[in-house]
Amino acid sequence: NETYRDAVSKNKIEVMARPKVEIKKEDPLEYIATVAIKPTAAVKEYKKIKVSVKEPKVTDKEIKAAIDELLKGKGAWSDVTRAAKNGDRAELDFQGYEGTKAEKGKEADNTKSSNHPLILGSNSFVPGFEEEVIGMKVGDKKTFTLTFPKEYHVKDFQGKKITFEAELKRLEEQKMPEYNEDFMKEATNGMKTNKKDFEAYVKDVLMQKKTEDAHAAAEAELIEKLIKATKVEFSDQLVADETEVIFADYKKQMESRGIPFEKHIELSGQKEEDIKKGMEEEARKRIVMRFAMDYIIEQEKFTVTDSELKKEIEMVKQKYPASEQPKIDEYYSEAGEGSLRLKNMMIVSKVFGMYLKKDAKK
């Protein structure tokens, strides 16, 4: 490690990835380190790239739908004895078997469940399953065969015929709360309001969400255009390293949902190598975008002044209670990593700000 660092420093090499080391002789030690260096990148006619942020609109129909969803979220569930219909919450026991109804073969793996909750009409289960439950009453048993979609997320079930034996154990319907002052107060975290003002509040919330979505869509469009306009060649080692970063994030995301990664691999029917292979294109895009941003920042000479940084830190601090201020000051001190990260984010924002303009007509 020491001699490698010395060689990189003396030769003024800007290394971009881990070296590949080949030992030529052990005593005395002689080796060759092959490294990926920073390539020369260029973004063709980057100033001519056009992207506009669509002006969002919120309709009365969308406001009503949002209020209906809020009411539904507060609805109380109660047991019923009638036949199941869309919108009901069902609990079922079921087991799947390989083959058709007539052929009912051995038990199919991962197709058995007890007291399985299911909102009918939510389309959250195997296509066709919820439709088979509609019309059943508590205590009813039913056998039916479904063909799984060819693009089903579990590879082992793609295009397969599975016969299910199901029993409806419980059925509930939802009673909506009244659209009154109490409901509006709870939905606005204690704000006393009337229906007109409440609908204006809902409209503001929807507008904020649509504005964020429109900005995100414009950013995605800009990224694709910058990637397409960027000319750069780089080492496969950079792709391998970036793929590992993406894979680590993906693994962490799965485990945060309470799914052991080994179990996820088993259910998906994929090998770890296959998952990583599928991430390589995203890794390449990230790398190209990084070089594109570096190029534009250098060309436009974007920087962040001390006063701009200080102002941004003050805005961050306003979001936290006074008891947290010392920690924030330490994180964003000159010696802390926070200031560097924040500066980088602010510079990137300046690049995006150069392109993203509102356009009510688009």
Side-chain angles (χ1 to χ4, degrees):
N1 286 339
E2 185 180 343
T3 57
Y4 167 73
R5 284 194 299 268
D6 287 345
V8 168
S9 177
K10 287 176 182 176
N11 289 279
K12 297 179 180 178
I13 300 172
E14 195 168 354
V15 177
M16 298 296 295
R18 292 171 297 173
K20 288 183 179 179
V21 178
E22 179 188 357
I23 305 296
K24 303 297 288 184
K25 192 164 56 177
E26 291 190 11
D27 189 17
L29 178 62
E30 184 181 315
Y31 64 91
I32 296 174
T34 305
V35 298
I37 60 173
K38 185 176 181 179
T40 301
V43 185
K44 186 180 178 182
E45 298 183 321
Y46 71 91
K47 289 187 178 181
K48 293 184 179 181
I49 294 173
K50 302 293 182 184
V51 179
S52 295
V53 182
K54 293 180 181 178
E55 191 71 30
K57 292 181 180 178
V58 176
T59 65
D60 291 342
K61 186 178 179 181
E62 289 172 324
I63 294 170
K64 184 181 182 304
I67 292 172
D68 287 344
E69 281 299 311
L70 288 170
L71 286 165
K72 192 182 292 185
K74 301 295 182 183
W77 293 92
S78 57
D79 290 283
V80 291
T81 56
R82 58 165 172 74
K85 63 181 183 179
N86 271 337
D88 289 343
R89 183 164 67 187
E91 287 186 17
L92 303 112
D93 289 351
F94 58 82
Q95 170 67 65
Y97 299 86
E98 294 185 1
T100 64
K101 187 174 180 178
E103 300 167 345
K104 193 178 80 173
K106 66 176 184 177
E107 292 182 358
D109 292 337
N110 302 309
T111 60
K112 183 177 182 178
S113 187
S114 298
N115 298 109
H116 191 95
L118 183 63
I119 303 292
L120 301 180
S122 64
N123 299 317
S124 59
F125 215 52
V126 184
F129 191 99
E130 293 170 34
E131 288 80 357
E132 294 287 350
V133 177
I134 290 172
M136 293 177 67
K137 293 183 178 180
V138 174
D140 285 355
K141 295 181 180 180
K142 191 174 184 180
T143 301
F144 50 90
T145 302
L146 298 175
T147 300
F148 279 66
K150 290 182 180 179
E151 301 300 322
Y152 195 66
H153 64 278
V154 180
K155 192 175 181 180
D156 290 345
F157 286 102
Q158 291 176 354
K160 260 193 175 182
K161 288 185 182 295
I162 299 291
T163 296
F164 287 94
E165 286 185 351
E167 179 181 359
L168 183 59
K169 306 290 287 187
R170 186 180 184 182
L171 189 68
E172 297 173 287
E173 68 178 2
Q174 190 178 36
K175 185 178 180 181
M176 299 299 174
E178 288 186 39
Y179 182 16
N180 56 21
E181 189 175 300
D182 289 338
F183 163 74
M184 291 185 287
K185 188 175 181 180
E186 186 177 355
T188 57
N189 294 317
M191 186 172 72
K192 190 174 181 180
T193 184
N194 53 47
K195 287 188 177 181
K196 183 181 178 181
D197 291 342
F198 179 69
E199 288 174 8
Y201 166 82
V202 172
K203 182 178 182 178
D204 286 344
V205 172
L206 291 175
M207 183 63 79
Q208 183 179 344
K209 176 67 168 59
K210 282 197 167 190
T211 300
E212 291 172 356
D213 290 346
H215 199 83
E219 283 190 356
E221 182 186 348
L222 173 59
I223 287 169
E224 289 299 322
K225 287 184 175 182
L226 287 174
I227 288 172
K228 190 175 180 180
T230 302
K231 302 297 180 185
V232 62
E233 293 183 7
F234 46 84
S235 165
D236 288 341
Q237 186 59 43
L238 275 182
V239 179
D241 287 354
E242 190 65 30
T243 300
E244 288 295 337
V245 171
I246 297 172
F247 179 76
D249 288 342
Y250 175 72
K251 186 175 180 181
K252 190 183 295 183
Q253 185 183 12
M254 289 296 107
E255 291 175 344
S256 71
R257 296 176 185 173
I259 308 171
F261 192 68
E262 292 72 20
K263 184 67 176 176
H264 171 70
I265 291 287
E266 180 186 331
L267 292 173
S268 69
Q270 292 182 292
K271 295 180 181 178
E272 192 172 299
E273 296 75 24
D274 297 332
I275 295 174
K276 288 182 180 179
K277 191 73 177 174
M279 293 173 172
E280 287 181 0
E281 183 60 27
E282 174 62 20
R284 289 183 186 278
K285 284 186 175 182
R286 286 191 185 188
I287 294 165
V288 174
M289 186 58 188
R290 206 171 293 148
F291 286 125
M293 295 296 284
D294 286 347
Y295 177 81
I296 295 169
I297 289 166
E298 185 178 343
Q299 294 297 310
E300 294 295 317
K301 296 180 172 56
F302 282 129
T303 59
V304 172
T305 65
D306 291 341
S307 60
E308 286 176 324
L309 181 63
K310 186 177 179 181
K311 184 178 178 181
E312 191 71 21
I313 292 171
E314 288 302 317
M315 289 174 64
V316 172
K317 289 170 70 174
Q318 289 175 14
K319 299 175 184 178
Y320 294 89
S323 59
E324 297 294 318
Q325 302 297 315
K327 290 181 183 178
I328 296 171
D329 287 334
E330 182 181 354
Y331 182 70
Y332 288 114
S333 67
E334 289 187 15
E337 63 176 332
S339 291
L340 182 59
R341 286 188 177 185
L342 187 57
K343 268 187 177 181
N344 288 337
M345 287 173 61
M346 291 171 70
I347 290 174
V348 169
S349 292
K350 287 187 177 187
V351 175
F352 278 85
M354 184 173 75
Y355 291 101
L356 303 182
K357 309 292 183 185
K358 286 188 178 180
D359 186 354
K361 295 180 182 179
K362 186 172 179 182

